[in-house]
Amino acid sequence: MALTKEVIADKVEVVGVYRHVQVRTATVVLEDDVELSRSFHRHVVSPGEDTTGMDAEVIAICAAVHTPEVIAAYEAYEASLLPE
């Protein structure tokens, strides 16, 4: 009887004007390769955010959609929200 746990990015979506990357991570607990439980966690990767340690697929998607132009536009948008 061996218990194992797998954590996988099972859904990745690119949304919005600033190409935010939404990631759903599934944590699966298995006993002898039979699934006992599955839970989900979601997080969003914004343009310019550090992707160190994230799933390789998520890093590749962020590198493709978070171009320097998108990052600059997002940073300008965030700056416009700050009170003067």
Side-chain angles (χ1 to χ4, degrees):
M1 177 168 74
L3 288 177
T4 58
K5 178 172 87 169
E6 297 177 358
V7 179
I8 53 172
D10 71 335
K11 182 183 272 191
V12 182
E13 301 172 309
V14 178
V15 298
V17 175
Y18 301 110
R19 317 311 293 157
H20 285 83
V21 178
Q22 295 183 151
V23 182
R24 182 177 81 175
T25 304
T27 302
V28 183
V29 176
L30 305 160
E31 180 179 4
D32 297 327
D33 295 326
V34 176
E35 185 175 318
L36 297 178
S37 71
R38 179 179 295 253
S39 61
F40 299 102
H41 171 77
R42 289 180 170 77
H43 70 277
V44 176
V45 183
S46 298
E49 187 175 328
D50 182 17
T51 58
T52 303
M54 292 185 190
D55 182 81
E57 183 180 15
V58 173
I59 293 170
I61 292 169
C62 289
V65 300
H66 292 167
T67 63
E69 295 81 14
V70 170
I71 293 170
Y74 181 66
E75 288 173 349
Y77 167 72
E78 282 192 316
S80 74
L81 298 177
L82 297 174
E84 294 184 25

